[in-house]
Amino acid sequence: MIKFNVPPVTGKELKYISEAIENEKICGDGDFTKKCNKWMEDKFHILKALLTTSCTHATEMAALLLKIKPGDEVIMPAYTFVSTADAFVMRGATVVFVDIRPDTMNIDETLIEAAITDKTKAIVPVHYAGVGCEMDTIMELGKKYHIAVVEDAAQGMMASYKGKALGTIGDFGCYSFHETKNYSMGEGGALLIREEKYIEDAEIIREKGTNRSKFFRGQIDKYTWMEAGSSYLPSDMNAAYLWAQLELAEEINQNRLKNWDRYFERLSGLADKGYITLPYVPDECQHNAHMFYIKTKDLEERTKLIDFLRDNGVWAVFHYIPLHSAPAGQKYGIFSGEDKYTTTESERLLRLPMYYNLKSDDIDYIVELITKFYV
Ligand SMILES: *Cc1c(COP(=O)(O)O)cnc(C)c1O
């Protein structure tokens, strides 16, 4: 049986978790959390990175920092994970869905301007599969209309657009370290902050509305309740797990890219003959092999292929049901313009097994099965 996902393990996770225990500091903002934050800041050239309990929570923090309130509108693709919308819906905002580009499955940047109204407070591009959205266009729109840009870079760590790390381009960037992502701590995430003016509020929101971070740095004598906040900081034991992965981030990335390339090369014959469509990575994007997907002719063919692969011991899965067709999407969202590609393209997409240390032989076997299915 070839699993769809295996959480990344590098070998040092238990050692670091033991260290956290020996340090007698297992709650939030211990040594490992600080190391992870600094690693992201240095590696991605971002002013501030704060480890959080999830990407969902990092996005909630962005919504709080932007003071999103009932009546505000937030633009995002309908083809995304529920968290992208949840974080803003929790603040009472209306979600405005925009169609995706069929080539990258990312928000179609040319349709965003038409969705902007005087209630629009944020644009939330989602870097699907770790392939960057057309960020120059999106940032220009943000500037022109004074709208914040929050990157859902849950899948995007270690990927870049025009040389800039995904997550560091918008006003805020949100990473996920869920076990299904390239780098993991079980459940976890990070909020990336580009501007000084948000840092103090972010630290307060993350620490139950208190200025405890300042207190620990010795900047104040007592800490107190400053604002409405929550508890968005992860345990240092989880950060210890993540640290083992960040230390080997380049190696994990190269390993995944090698596997991605192997799939791509070996499936290109089928794509050339028109049986399937392979992923597209624009020249200005360096991806991180977060996922490998193919597109079948339609939903019916995809269902048959999934069954065929499962019967032969391979777990392949489809992805998001577009949010505008879900009950909550209908309640909290509206679709701007026409759903030309979101539904049809999502019905064609099939994700193949992809994880750190997936074996080449397994990839070859999967390719062989897909070839057998078509030819
Ligand atoms: C995984 C994912 C999330 C949620 O991440 P969590 O860390 O589980 O909260 C949000 N958006 C996208 C696009 C994702 O893939």
Side-chain angles (χ1 to χ4, degrees):
M1 169 63 80
I2 303 175
K3 291 183 187 151
F4 171 69
N5 177 58
V6 177
V9 183
T10 64
K12 286 206 174 155
E13 285 80 0
L14 276 176
K15 176 175 178 277
Y16 291 152
I17 292 170
S18 308
E19 275 177 33
I21 297 169
E22 281 154 23
N23 290 348
E24 298 177 339
K25 178 80 182 166
I26 58 172
C27 69
D29 280 340
D31 287 349
F32 285 104
T33 303
K34 285 179 192 146
K35 276 187 187 179
C36 292
N37 290 345
K38 177 144 192 332
W39 185 91
M40 287 184 275
E41 286 161 10
D42 293 346
K43 178 107 184 149
F44 306 128
H45 311 289
I46 183 76
L47 182 65
K48 192 83 193 164
L50 292 170
L51 223 51
T52 58
T53 29
S54 65
C55 177
T56 309
H57 281 168
T59 317
E60 278 183 33
M61 283 183 68
L64 284 162
L65 288 164
L66 292 171
K67 301 189 168 36
I68 301 290
K69 56 181 191 317
D72 291 347
E73 292 178 0
V74 177
I75 295 172
M76 65 184 67
Y79 186 69
T80 183
F81 188 55
V82 294
S83 302
T84 322
D86 268 328
F88 297 95
V89 164
M90 296 265 282
R91 306 255 60 82
T94 297
V95 176
V96 179
F97 297 116
V98 168
D99 207 15
I100 53 166
R101 292 165 47 148
D103 58 355
T104 57
M105 304 297 284
N106 283 336
I107 191 166
D108 185 337
E109 67 279 359
T110 65
L111 302 175
I112 294 174
E113 193 157 17
I116 294 174
T117 71
D118 53 12
K119 293 182 190 147
T120 310
K121 289 288 153 57
I123 305 170
V124 192
V126 179
H127 306 298
Y128 188 70
V131 175
C133 297
E134 213 332 272
M135 289 307 290
D136 278 356
T137 309
I138 294 170
M139 293 310 292
E140 266 165 40
L141 286 172
K143 211 189 237 172
K144 181 169 166 194
Y145 293 98
H146 307 286
I147 300 169
V149 175
V150 179
E151 295 177 75
D152 181 336
Q155 306 175 8
M157 196 172 91
M158 295 288 284
S160 61
Y161 167 86
K162 296 193 177 173
K164 289 183 210 153
L166 300 186
T168 67
I169 305 164
D171 298 85
F172 299 104
C174 308
Y175 286 159
S176 172
F177 302 119
H178 184 260
E179 74 162 30
T180 52
K181 301 304 198 288
N182 294 21
Y183 311 90
S184 183
M185 52 196 278
E187 300 277 356
L191 178 68
L192 272 52
I193 304 172
R194 212 186 53 198
E195 282 179 276
E196 184 75 45
K197 67 176 181 189
Y198 289 118
I199 293 178
E200 193 171 334
D201 284 352
E203 286 179 342
I204 288 171
I205 287 170
R206 183 166 165 273
E207 266 280 20
K208 299 105 186 158
T210 71
N211 53 0
R212 201 167 166 192
S213 298
K214 258 189 164 169
F215 172 72
F216 279 128
R217 284 196 296 264
Q219 288 165 299
I220 43 173
D221 300 335
K222 266 194 216 102
Y223 76 87
T224 187
W225 188 31
M226 304 293 291
E227 249 307 332
S230 190
S231 184
Y232 291 126
L233 68 172
S235 147
D236 215 48
M237 290 188 289
N238 295 60
Y241 190 102
L242 181 66
W243 180 246
Q245 323 238 315
L246 297 187
E247 270 191 335
L248 289 182
E250 289 295 345
E251 189 182 313
I252 294 175
N253 195 35
Q254 290 310 317
N255 179 279
R256 296 186 74 110
L257 286 167
K258 182 189 77 167
N259 288 337
W260 195 98
D261 289 344
R262 193 174 185 95
Y263 268 128
F264 194 91
E265 279 160 24
R266 278 154 207 248
L267 287 167
S268 60
L270 280 180
D272 291 344
K273 293 197 189 91
Y275 289 116
I276 57 170
T277 306
L278 293 179
Y280 166 71
V281 181
D283 283 344
E284 53 275 18
C285 297
Q286 172 57 57
H287 74 106
N288 59 3
H290 172 62
M291 79 173 80
F292 194 90
Y293 65 78
I294 62 171
K295 285 191 199 160
T296 59
K297 185 166 77 335
D298 54 21
L299 179 61
E300 198 190 330
E301 188 180 279
R302 182 179 74 179
T303 307
K304 281 190 193 147
L305 180 54
I306 291 178
D307 291 345
F308 177 74
L309 292 171
R310 288 221 178 144
D311 290 344
N312 288 284
V314 175
W315 280 82
V317 302
F318 56 81
H319 218 183
Y320 313 127
I321 308 281
L323 297 185
H324 67 299
S325 42
Q330 283 168 4
K331 195 156 130 197
Y332 299 117
I334 50 167
F335 202 99
S336 166
E338 188 197 342
D339 170 8
K340 205 166 158 194
Y341 295 114
T342 302
T343 299
T344 53
E345 294 300 302
S346 72
E347 288 177 349
R348 297 176 58 204
L349 189 136
L350 177 65
R351 300 175 67 190
L352 300 177
M354 171 56 86
Y355 47 85
Y356 175 54
N357 279 341
L358 171 63
K359 293 191 189 69
S360 300
D361 288 351
D362 287 348
I363 294 174
D364 295 351
Y365 173 65
I366 295 163
V367 170
E368 198 183 296
L369 285 177
I370 295 172
T371 309
K372 204 159 132 194
F373 178 82
Y374 282 105
V375 206

